[in-house]
Amino acid sequence: MSIEQLPTYFLSHGGGPWSYVEEPRRKNYVNLERFLVELRPEMRSPVRAVLIISGHWEERGFAISSAAQPGMVFDYSGFPDYLYHIRYAAPGSPEIAARVLRLLAAGGMAARLDGERGYDHGTFSLMKVLAPDENVPIVQLSIDVSMDPALHVQVGRLLAPLRREGVLIIGSGFSYHNFAIRDARAAPISQHFDAWLQHVLVQTEPAERTERLIRWEDAPYARDAHAREEHLIPLMVAVGAAEDEPGACVYHETAFLQFVTASSFRFGSPRTGAAM
């Protein structure tokens, strides 16, 4: 089936199960939530499923969630008890999972189906706002423990055909992620790294963009912004799947959780009629 080509996204997904938290904590996410509400039109036809590459799922090789009704993965700590009993009930899609497996296998990638994997907060924190009716099928794809940027760009290239098959590709991570630096020191670090991201993703020609992303450790404050890069690697997949297309910043704030500059990006043209 060939239909309108969908864009891809790299979305900064916020902290833990934020989209389920009650006030007063919820106010910390007002800008992120507003952006995701505005993005909801992307969940409508011709979207028939969402593929999320989550920075919270690491494997040797690549694993693809294939359960028809995935459960939940509560991969966070320090939250109130009720946040360990929440449920995001969107269906999975064994059909789309099998398609992802075929695309990766055809490109020589080590990949397997995982019928047990549930939704981690890199998925349900976003989707609770993006698709509150819980009716859009979701498949998750792990990242490889190597954290090899070039490998994940290539995975994106292999998955690009999904964009014409009604599958919306979302890399879920965060533009800044370092638990050790979350106070005022994070402000200049995240600002400088975010400025680099903006230049590379939005202002740089696609071919050069890929090369610079693969060398992301050369960026200002790279290892301060991402002491470990699992929250950045999903970006590589999103870019690889729309490698020859322009990037745009679609969410940006300079005081996320008081000190952090945070951004999200779209690659490719927005859908006709989508509210962006």
Side-chain angles (χ1 to χ4, degrees):
M1 179 174 62
S2 179
I3 57 176
E4 176 184 347
Q5 179 162 276
L6 299 171
T8 71
Y9 288 90
F10 172 69
L11 301 182
S12 290
H13 62 226
W18 70 267
S19 52
Y20 289 81
V21 303
E22 300 169 354
E23 295 295 356
R25 278 177 129 165
R26 185 63 168 260
K27 71 178 184 296
N28 293 320
Y29 301 94
V30 61
N31 293 326
L32 177 58
E33 186 164 13
R34 182 184 300 117
F35 156 66
L36 293 172
V37 169
E38 292 173 353
L39 193 60
R40 282 179 184 170
E42 278 296 319
M43 298 299 105
R44 300 174 189 157
S45 179
V47 172
R48 64 188 182 103
V50 177
L51 175 66
I52 295 185
I53 301 90
S54 173
H56 287 276
W57 189 14
E58 301 175 31
E59 298 284 349
R60 295 190 183 279
F62 295 91
I64 307 144
S65 67
S66 59
Q69 296 293 331
M72 301 287 280
V73 177
F74 301 120
D75 55 344
Y76 44 80
S77 60
F79 287 88
D81 180 69
Y82 75 91
L83 293 170
Y84 299 88
H85 302 280
I86 57 179
R87 170 80 171 143
Y88 187 76
S93 176
E95 174 193 0
I96 299 296
R99 173 66 170 146
V100 171
L101 179 65
R102 290 195 299 273
L103 288 170
L104 294 182
M109 295 291 171
R112 61 180 176 83
L113 298 177
D114 186 332
E116 302 298 322
R117 179 72 180 187
Y119 297 140
D120 60 61
H121 78 263
T123 294
F124 68 73
S125 63
L126 294 174
M127 295 305 297
K128 176 65 174 175
V129 184
L130 283 172
D133 294 336
E134 304 182 5
N135 58 358
V136 179
I138 300 168
V139 172
Q140 294 179 125
L141 174 66
S142 72
I143 58 175
D144 182 72
V145 294
S146 70
M147 307 289 178
D148 181 345
L151 175 68
H152 289 85
V153 168
Q154 178 61 17
V155 164
R157 293 170 181 148
L158 295 174
L159 296 176
L162 295 173
R163 298 174 57 206
R164 289 194 176 276
E165 299 172 11
V167 179
L168 188 68
I169 298 173
I170 296 175
S172 175
F174 212 90
S175 57
Y176 173 90
H177 193 261
N178 186 345
F179 280 133
I181 307 177
R182 292 189 289 179
D183 54 19
R185 296 172 298 161
I189 294 170
S190 60
Q191 288 168 9
H192 284 287
F193 187 75
D194 192 271
W196 180 86
L197 281 177
Q198 300 287 344
H199 178 73
V200 170
L201 298 179
V202 179
Q203 302 172 23
T204 303
E205 290 298 315
E208 183 184 351
R209 178 179 69 192
T210 297
E211 291 305 312
R212 294 189 69 178
L213 277 178
I214 289 172
R215 302 192 311 272
W216 73 272
E217 289 180 274
D218 295 338
Y221 295 97
R223 279 298 176 187
D224 294 307
H226 291 275
R228 192 172 183 274
E229 60 266 42
E230 80 284 349
H231 275 64
L232 188 66
I233 288 297
L235 168 64
M236 311 303 170
V237 182
V239 168
E243 192 169 19
D244 297 327
E245 299 177 57
C249 179
V250 292
Y251 155 76
H252 179 77
E253 64 176 299
T254 58
F256 179 79
L257 297 181
Q258 192 174 354
F259 298 113
V260 171
T261 295
S263 296
S264 295
F265 299 89
R266 180 188 67 233
F267 305 98
S269 300
R271 280 185 45 224
T272 303
M276 293 300 300

